[in-house]
Amino acid sequence: KNQVEQSPQSLIILEGKNCTLQCNYTVSPFSNLRWYKQDTGRGPVSLTIMTFSENTKSNGRYTATLDADTKQSSLHITASQLSDSASYICVVSAQSNYQLIWGAGTKLIIKP
Amino acid sequence: DARVTQTPRHKVTEMGQEVTMRCQPILGHNTVFWYRQTMMQGLELLAYFRNRAPLDDSGMPKDRFSAEMPDATLATLKIQPSEPRDSAVYFCASGLRGAKNTEAFFGQGTRLTVV
């Protein structure tokens, strides 16, 4: 069964600190993996998209990694800011169709 | 700037009433998704359109939900009759299938409360 699991479920860190969010998936055949940021009351916004051949991609202070062998991805946030408080959702696309398999998300809270 | 527009942003209605949610996809996008998000279920795919044709609506309760694209600039999601368990945020997203790593761009959502 195609699944995406994220950890931790929630995380609280102090402003300026770094953090890493995890994503494990069992989607097969794999097409690509995306990380979305969803602010409260808003729609998800794409941060990164990675295909099988890419193992790291950055978007500003966000760096995503992908290990297609172990089917794991991480999202690293550097020098966190208050505006980083949001839910971060890992989404995996199956190669065979359009289907996007959504993780439950990690709720990140940045405290001053 | 290009964005997906959803209306209304908020809707409160009584059980049994008809609800229609509208979405204007980004101009030129050929795929449209409807998602429902609740605290318990996260994001669930309700329907998917490509070039205005419904490709998959298996996520929708067929007896009360319907999704259409009357034209390329408008997608609608209708609930009739609405029930309290339909209370959720409904997101529309559009993308360009065929482009590398098709990305879905989301609207702001319609927050529906059925009382």
Side-chain angles (χ1 to χ4, degrees):
Chain A
K1 182 182 176 183
N2 288 334
Q3 283 186 315
V4 175
E5 294 184 352
Q6 292 187 242
S7 61
Q9 195 171 35
S10 61
L11 181 63
I12 302 173
I13 63 172
L14 292 176
E15 185 180 10
K17 298 295 186 183
N18 303 337
C19 67
T20 301
L21 313 180
Q22 301 291 344
C23 172
N24 296 336
Y25 62 93
T26 58
V27 178
S28 182
F30 173 86
S31 176
N32 58 65
L33 184 145
R34 314 146 187 243
W35 282 94
Y36 279 88
K37 177 187 179 188
Q38 185 175 21
D39 292 311
T40 301
R42 303 275 188 171
V45 174
S46 178
L47 295 175
T48 63
I49 299 178
M50 289 184 291
T51 61
F52 185 88
S53 60
E54 298 173 297
N55 54 24
T56 186
K57 184 165 280 190
S58 292
N59 178 357
R61 294 179 297 101
Y62 300 102
T63 299
T65 64
L66 173 65
D67 186 333
D69 292 330
T70 62
K71 299 187 176 181
Q72 295 179 326
S73 176
S74 65
L75 180 69
H76 186 74
I77 304 174
T78 304
S80 60
Q81 300 176 358
L82 297 179
S83 60
D84 293 332
S85 294
S87 288
Y88 291 83
I89 309 173
C90 175
V91 187
V92 181
S93 176
Q95 196 173 69
S96 55
N97 56 36
Y98 61 87
Q99 194 174 29
L100 301 178
I101 315 299
W102 292 76
T106 292
K107 186 173 177 63
L108 176 65
I109 298 172
I110 311 297
K111 292 204 164 183
Chain B
D1 60 331
R3 66 180 72 182
V4 175
T5 304
Q6 289 187 247
T7 57
R9 290 294 312 279
H10 303 273
K11 176 72 176 179
V12 180
T13 190
E14 290 185 345
M15 182 173 64
Q17 296 297 305
E18 177 179 299
V19 175
T20 298
M21 291 169 272
R22 293 176 173 79
C23 168
Q24 182 176 346
I26 293 173
L27 191 64
H29 281 186
N30 60 3
T31 60
V32 172
F33 303 86
W34 280 105
Y35 284 91
R36 175 170 62 184
Q37 186 175 37
T38 62
M39 290 292 292
M40 299 302 294
Q41 298 289 337
L43 270 154
E44 304 173 83
L45 178 66
L46 298 175
Y48 165 69
F49 288 79
R50 187 189 303 167
N51 297 323
R52 294 176 55 202
L55 289 192
D56 186 353
D57 59 3
S58 59
M60 286 200 314
K62 296 292 190 306
D63 56 337
R64 299 184 299 108
F65 284 59
S66 62
E68 296 179 344
M69 279 201 75
D71 61 61
T73 64
L74 177 64
T76 62
L77 180 66
K78 191 174 295 186
I79 308 174
Q80 167 64 15
S82 57
E83 297 180 1
R85 59 179 167 151
D86 300 329
S87 297
V89 180
Y90 291 81
F91 286 105
C92 173
S94 73
L96 186 61
R97 181 73 176 178
K100 184 181 178 183
N101 298 331
T102 303
E103 183 176 340
F105 294 84
F106 283 77
Q108 301 279 44
T110 293
R111 180 175 294 277
L112 173 65
T113 303
V114 183
V115 298

